[in-house]
Amino acid sequence: MEKKNVYRSQFQPAPRKKLGGALGNDSDYTLPIRRGSPYRSTSRTTRQLLKHVVRFSVIAMCIFLLDRITGLRKSNWYAVWIHGKGIVKTDQEWNAGYESLGLGLDNLPLSFKLPSGDEIPSVALGTWKAQPERVGAAVKSALETGYRHIDGAWIYGNEAEIGHTLKEVEHHIPRGSLFLTSKLWNTFHNPDDVEAALDETLSKLQTEYLDLYLMHWPIAQNGDDHSVDWELTENPVKTWKKMEEMVRKGKVRNIGLSNFNVRRLQNLTSSGIEIWPAVNQVELNYWNPQPDLLAWSKQHGILLEAYSPFGGSDMVGKTLKLPVIQRIAKKLKITPAQVIISWHVQRGTVALPKSVDAGRISEDYHIFPLPSDLFDELESAATSHRPHRINDPSTRWGVDIFEDEKEGQYS
């Protein structure tokens, strides 16, 4: 009797057993013989899995070798494509490309002098819309990068975390080296409410004083129902005089305004105030450059601060891709974001970029003087189109805040 080989190679098909009898022709119906050998062939699923593992390993090795050769991960486009994040670089790395041009231009100012004699840093970290669980890390990254100006507000709802972070780093970044800004919210314009609102901010920030305290909006609202106090809105001098008192008490070093147009500024400054507004923080960007307000403010000694310097979160992508921005960035070997922040500072304003990403925070801090022809080109492009205001809550609050032509948001 012939002995069957049960230890077949896994590459050989198993023999099939014929079925006869009532099923008809036994050659038409066969079943594989079940082998009980411990050396059975690997299942199809396992073989496919091993094949995918091998392919993945080969691809990973190719990417690793490509990165080692080209420095792929250090490129800005890779960061944007893969992570949507910026690249953290040293001062030398940020400056390398620009300095290689040898333009010989004077550096942009790192600070501006206020009427009190205090120096306000020209680039600050904005904290609007920075989530409480992320703002602390953003502030810490900013301070490690070199920022010393943090812009906040009571209404942002994140002052407690900012204060906690500042306390954590106090041993190597003392309070005296920082410039802290906060803002008085609309429902606290009643003179009886100003000091209590300020004290709450000071407590959350864990500091004894603010470097700058701003009236957040030219709108006074009643605290109970948020209805507009029209008299205090049109004539905010009582609120301002209470803010002056905070300066005399040492709780604030400088006071200013936010979102005031020229008419409202003239109205307040002609009301017999004792302390001149140091700052007016307003929306300034390519889409809404406000050259008339800038010129008036310079003439009257009020420093403008630019919030939403990229045009707000919905417009930042479109702003960075503008041909004029891209062209200047390429010529100067800097990033489009750095072109924009540099333009703001070169205009004579404080720029308030905001981000919670360490790479973007680092990128925004490094500014470079634009040659006069490139600066004029960007200024001309920004001021030659019809202005589009990004942030205008007038309709929601029932007050024409800016008293300008209404177009809605740019799209």
Side-chain angles (χ1 to χ4, degrees), residues 315-333:
M315 295 292 290
V316 59
K318 186 175 292 188
T319 305
L320 296 177
K321 293 176 183 176
L322 286 166
V324 63
I325 302 292
Q326 291 280 334
R327 189 162 55 251
I328 294 173
K330 186 175 181 180
K331 283 185 178 181
L332 299 183
K333 299 183 179 180

PDB file of all heavy atoms in Angstrom, residues 315-333:
ATOM      1  N   MET A 315      -9.413  85.241   8.600  1.00  0.00           N
ATOM      2  CA  MET A 315      -8.764  85.890   7.460  1.00  0.00           C
ATOM      3  C   MET A 315      -7.254  85.655   7.396  1.00  0.00           C
ATOM      4  O   MET A 315      -6.622  86.040   6.421  1.00  0.00           O
ATOM      5  CB  MET A 315      -9.019  87.401   7.517  1.00  0.00           C
ATOM      6  CG  MET A 315     -10.474  87.798   7.341  1.00  0.00           C
ATOM      7  SD  MET A 315     -11.067  87.466   5.671  1.00  0.00           S
ATOM      8  CE  MET A 315     -10.164  88.707   4.758  1.00  0.00           C
ATOM      9  N   VAL A 316      -6.694  85.027   8.423  1.00  0.00           N
ATOM     10  CA  VAL A 316      -5.237  84.934   8.488  1.00  0.00           C
ATOM     11  C   VAL A 316      -4.667  84.192   7.285  1.00  0.00           C
ATOM     12  O   VAL A 316      -3.644  84.608   6.709  1.00  0.00           O
ATOM     13  CB  VAL A 316      -4.788  84.276   9.812  1.00  0.00           C
ATOM     14  CG1 VAL A 316      -5.352  82.882   9.972  1.00  0.00           C
ATOM     15  CG2 VAL A 316      -3.272  84.256   9.923  1.00  0.00           C
ATOM     16  N   GLY A 317      -5.317  83.110   6.859  1.00  0.00           N
ATOM     17  CA  GLY A 317      -4.817  82.360   5.708  1.00  0.00           C
ATOM     18  C   GLY A 317      -4.800  83.186   4.442  1.00  0.00           C
ATOM     19  O   GLY A 317      -3.826  83.193   3.690  1.00  0.00           O
ATOM     20  N   LYS A 318      -5.884  83.931   4.211  1.00  0.00           N
ATOM     21  CA  LYS A 318      -5.979  84.775   3.021  1.00  0.00           C
ATOM     22  C   LYS A 318      -4.946  85.899   3.067  1.00  0.00           C
ATOM     23  O   LYS A 318      -4.351  86.263   2.044  1.00  0.00           O
ATOM     24  CB  LYS A 318      -7.394  85.347   2.914  1.00  0.00           C
ATOM     25  CG  LYS A 318      -7.668  86.116   1.640  1.00  0.00           C
ATOM     26  CD  LYS A 318      -9.131  86.552   1.556  1.00  0.00           C
ATOM     27  CE  LYS A 318     -10.054  85.380   1.381  1.00  0.00           C
ATOM     28  NZ  LYS A 318     -11.450  85.794   1.110  1.00  0.00           N
ATOM     29  N   THR A 319      -4.729  86.436   4.269  1.00  0.00           N
ATOM     30  CA  THR A 319      -3.761  87.529   4.419  1.00  0.00           C
ATOM     31  C   THR A 319      -2.347  87.062   4.099  1.00  0.00           C
ATOM     32  O   THR A 319      -1.606  87.731   3.366  1.00  0.00           O
ATOM     33  CB  THR A 319      -3.809  88.093   5.853  1.00  0.00           C
ATOM     34  OG1 THR A 319      -5.148  88.484   6.166  1.00  0.00           O
ATOM     35  CG2 THR A 319      -2.886  89.288   6.003  1.00  0.00           C
ATOM     36  N   LEU A 320      -1.973  85.921   4.638  1.00  0.00           N
ATOM     37  CA  LEU A 320      -0.611  85.418   4.432  1.00  0.00           C
ATOM     38  C   LEU A 320      -0.342  85.042   2.985  1.00  0.00           C
ATOM     39  O   LEU A 320       0.815  84.986   2.561  1.00  0.00           O
ATOM     40  CB  LEU A 320      -0.362  84.212   5.337  1.00  0.00           C
ATOM     41  CG  LEU A 320      -0.392  84.479   6.852  1.00  0.00           C
ATOM     42  CD1 LEU A 320      -0.194  83.189   7.627  1.00  0.00           C
ATOM     43  CD2 LEU A 320       0.671  85.501   7.256  1.00  0.00           C
ATOM     44  N   LYS A 321      -1.396  84.781   2.220  1.00  0.00           N
ATOM     45  CA  LYS A 321      -1.222  84.379   0.818  1.00  0.00           C
ATOM     46  C   LYS A 321      -1.321  85.543  -0.157  1.00  0.00           C
ATOM     47  O   LYS A 321      -1.231  85.332  -1.372  1.00  0.00           O
ATOM     48  CB  LYS A 321      -2.270  83.320   0.460  1.00  0.00           C
ATOM     49  CG  LYS A 321      -2.071  81.996   1.187  1.00  0.00           C
ATOM     50  CD  LYS A 321      -3.200  81.021   0.867  1.00  0.00           C
ATOM     51  CE  LYS A 321      -3.037  79.722   1.644  1.00  0.00           C
ATOM     52  NZ  LYS A 321      -4.179  78.806   1.410  1.00  0.00           N
ATOM     53  N   LEU A 322      -1.494  86.755   0.350  1.00  0.00           N
ATOM     54  CA  LEU A 322      -1.573  87.917  -0.535  1.00  0.00           C
ATOM     55  C   LEU A 322      -0.296  88.026  -1.379  1.00  0.00           C
ATOM     56  O   LEU A 322       0.811  87.915  -0.845  1.00  0.00           O
ATOM     57  CB  LEU A 322      -1.759  89.190   0.278  1.00  0.00           C
ATOM     58  CG  LEU A 322      -3.157  89.407   0.880  1.00  0.00           C
ATOM     59  CD1 LEU A 322      -3.113  90.512   1.933  1.00  0.00           C
ATOM     60  CD2 LEU A 322      -4.148  89.768  -0.226  1.00  0.00           C
ATOM     61  N   PRO A 323      -0.404  88.257  -2.682  1.00  0.00           N
ATOM     62  CA  PRO A 323       0.795  88.328  -3.526  1.00  0.00           C
ATOM     63  C   PRO A 323       1.822  89.347  -3.047  1.00  0.00           C
ATOM     64  O   PRO A 323       3.025  89.078  -3.087  1.00  0.00           O
ATOM     65  CB  PRO A 323       0.217  88.715  -4.891  1.00  0.00           C
ATOM     66  CG  PRO A 323      -1.172  88.189  -4.879  1.00  0.00           C
ATOM     67  CD  PRO A 323      -1.656  88.344  -3.468  1.00  0.00           C
ATOM     68  N   VAL A 324       1.373  90.520  -2.577  1.00  0.00           N
ATOM     69  CA  VAL A 324       2.326  91.529  -2.133  1.00  0.00           C
ATOM     70  C   VAL A 324       3.073  91.060  -0.892  1.00  0.00           C
ATOM     71  O   VAL A 324       4.281  91.297  -0.747  1.00  0.00           O
ATOM     72  CB  VAL A 324       1.604  92.879  -1.870  1.00  0.00           C
ATOM     73  CG1 VAL A 324       0.583  92.761  -0.732  1.00  0.00           C
ATOM     74  CG2 VAL A 324       2.620  93.972  -1.547  1.00  0.00           C
ATOM     75  N   ILE A 325       2.400  90.354  -0.008  1.00  0.00           N
ATOM     76  CA  ILE A 325       3.045  89.815   1.200  1.00  0.00           C
ATOM     77  C   ILE A 325       4.031  88.724   0.815  1.00  0.00           C
ATOM     78  O   ILE A 325       5.178  88.690   1.293  1.00  0.00           O
ATOM     79  CB  ILE A 325       1.994  89.259   2.171  1.00  0.00           C
ATOM     80  CG1 ILE A 325       0.969  90.335   2.573  1.00  0.00           C
ATOM     81  CG2 ILE A 325       2.670  88.659   3.402  1.00  0.00           C
ATOM     82  CD1 ILE A 325       1.510  91.431   3.415  1.00  0.00           C
ATOM     83  N   GLN A 326       3.600  87.824  -0.063  1.00  0.00           N
ATOM     84  CA  GLN A 326       4.465  86.723  -0.487  1.00  0.00           C
ATOM     85  C   GLN A 326       5.718  87.250  -1.194  1.00  0.00           C
ATOM     86  O   GLN A 326       6.825  86.751  -0.981  1.00  0.00           O
ATOM     87  CB  GLN A 326       3.679  85.803  -1.432  1.00  0.00           C
ATOM     88  CG  GLN A 326       2.564  85.011  -0.768  1.00  0.00           C
ATOM     89  CD  GLN A 326       3.076  83.795  -0.036  1.00  0.00           C
ATOM     90  OE1 GLN A 326       4.121  83.248  -0.370  1.00  0.00           O
ATOM     91  NE2 GLN A 326       2.344  83.373   0.983  1.00  0.00           N
ATOM     92  N   ARG A 327       5.529  88.265  -2.018  1.00  0.00           N
ATOM     93  CA  ARG A 327       6.646  88.818  -2.786  1.00  0.00           C
ATOM     94  C   ARG A 327       7.694  89.444  -1.852  1.00  0.00           C
ATOM     95  O   ARG A 327       8.905  89.232  -2.016  1.00  0.00           O
ATOM     96  CB  ARG A 327       6.116  89.849  -3.776  1.00  0.00           C
ATOM     97  CG  ARG A 327       7.127  90.348  -4.777  1.00  0.00           C
ATOM     98  CD  ARG A 327       6.454  91.017  -5.961  1.00  0.00           C
ATOM     99  NE  ARG A 327       5.543  92.099  -5.562  1.00  0.00           N
ATOM    100  CZ  ARG A 327       4.222  92.002  -5.659  1.00  0.00           C
ATOM    101  NH1 ARG A 327       3.654  90.904  -6.119  1.00  0.00           N
ATOM    102  NH2 ARG A 327       3.460  93.020  -5.293  1.00  0.00           N
ATOM    103  N   ILE A 328       7.235  90.206  -0.872  1.00  0.00           N
ATOM    104  CA  ILE A 328       8.168  90.844   0.065  1.00  0.00           C
ATOM    105  C   ILE A 328       8.868  89.800   0.921  1.00  0.00           C
ATOM    106  O   ILE A 328      10.080  89.892   1.169  1.00  0.00           O
ATOM    107  CB  ILE A 328       7.414  91.865   0.945  1.00  0.00           C
ATOM    108  CG1 ILE A 328       6.899  93.020   0.072  1.00  0.00           C
ATOM    109  CG2 ILE A 328       8.313  92.399   2.058  1.00  0.00           C
ATOM    110  CD1 ILE A 328       6.006  93.997   0.810  1.00  0.00           C
ATOM    111  N   ALA A 329       8.113  88.797   1.370  1.00  0.00           N
ATOM    112  CA  ALA A 329       8.711  87.734   2.182  1.00  0.00           C
ATOM    113  C   ALA A 329       9.820  87.020   1.427  1.00  0.00           C
ATOM    114  O   ALA A 329      10.893  86.732   1.980  1.00  0.00           O
ATOM    115  CB  ALA A 329       7.635  86.746   2.618  1.00  0.00           C
ATOM    116  N   LYS A 330       9.576  86.752   0.154  1.00  0.00           N
ATOM    117  CA  LYS A 330      10.581  86.062  -0.654  1.00  0.00           C
ATOM    118  C   LYS A 330      11.822  86.924  -0.850  1.00  0.00           C
ATOM    119  O   LYS A 330      12.955  86.435  -0.760  1.00  0.00           O
ATOM    120  CB  LYS A 330       9.973  85.687  -2.001  1.00  0.00           C
ATOM    121  CG  LYS A 330      10.878  84.831  -2.872  1.00  0.00           C
ATOM    122  CD  LYS A 330      10.170  84.399  -4.147  1.00  0.00           C
ATOM    123  CE  LYS A 330      11.076  83.513  -4.994  1.00  0.00           C
ATOM    124  NZ  LYS A 330      10.378  83.078  -6.249  1.00  0.00           N
ATOM    125  N   LYS A 331      11.618  88.211  -1.086  1.00  0.00           N
ATOM    126  CA  LYS A 331      12.757  89.112  -1.290  1.00  0.00           C
ATOM    127  C   LYS A 331      13.624  89.232  -0.036  1.00  0.00           C
ATOM    128  O   LYS A 331      14.844  89.309  -0.120  1.00  0.00           O
ATOM    129  CB  LYS A 331      12.264  90.500  -1.704  1.00  0.00           C
ATOM    130  CG  LYS A 331      11.819  90.611  -3.145  1.00  0.00           C
ATOM    131  CD  LYS A 331      11.463  92.055  -3.496  1.00  0.00           C
ATOM    132  CE  LYS A 331      11.057  92.178  -4.959  1.00  0.00           C
ATOM    133  NZ  LYS A 331      10.719  93.586  -5.319  1.00  0.00           N
ATOM    134  N   LEU A 332      12.982  89.273   1.122  1.00  0.00           N
ATOM    135  CA  LEU A 332      13.707  89.502   2.368  1.00  0.00           C
ATOM    136  C   LEU A 332      14.083  88.219   3.097  1.00  0.00           C
ATOM    137  O   LEU A 332      14.701  88.264   4.171  1.00  0.00           O
ATOM    138  CB  LEU A 332      12.874  90.399   3.296  1.00  0.00           C
ATOM    139  CG  LEU A 332      12.551  91.791   2.760  1.00  0.00           C
ATOM    140  CD1 LEU A 332      11.780  92.595   3.794  1.00  0.00           C
ATOM    141  CD2 LEU A 332      13.818  92.527   2.344  1.00  0.00           C
ATOM    142  N   LYS A 333      13.677  87.073   2.553  1.00  0.00           N
ATOM    143  CA  LYS A 333      13.987  85.767   3.148  1.00  0.00           C
ATOM    144  C   LYS A 333      13.424  85.649   4.566  1.00  0.00           C
ATOM    145  O   LYS A 333      14.077  85.126   5.468  1.00  0.00           O
ATOM    146  CB  LYS A 333      15.503  85.516   3.143  1.00  0.00           C
ATOM    147  CG  LYS A 333      16.112  85.498   1.745  1.00  0.00           C
ATOM    148  CD  LYS A 333      17.590  85.167   1.788  1.00  0.00           C
ATOM    149  CE  LYS A 333      18.183  85.133   0.386  1.00  0.00           C
ATOM    150  NZ  LYS A 333      19.642  84.799   0.398  1.00  0.00           N
TER     151      LYS A 333
END
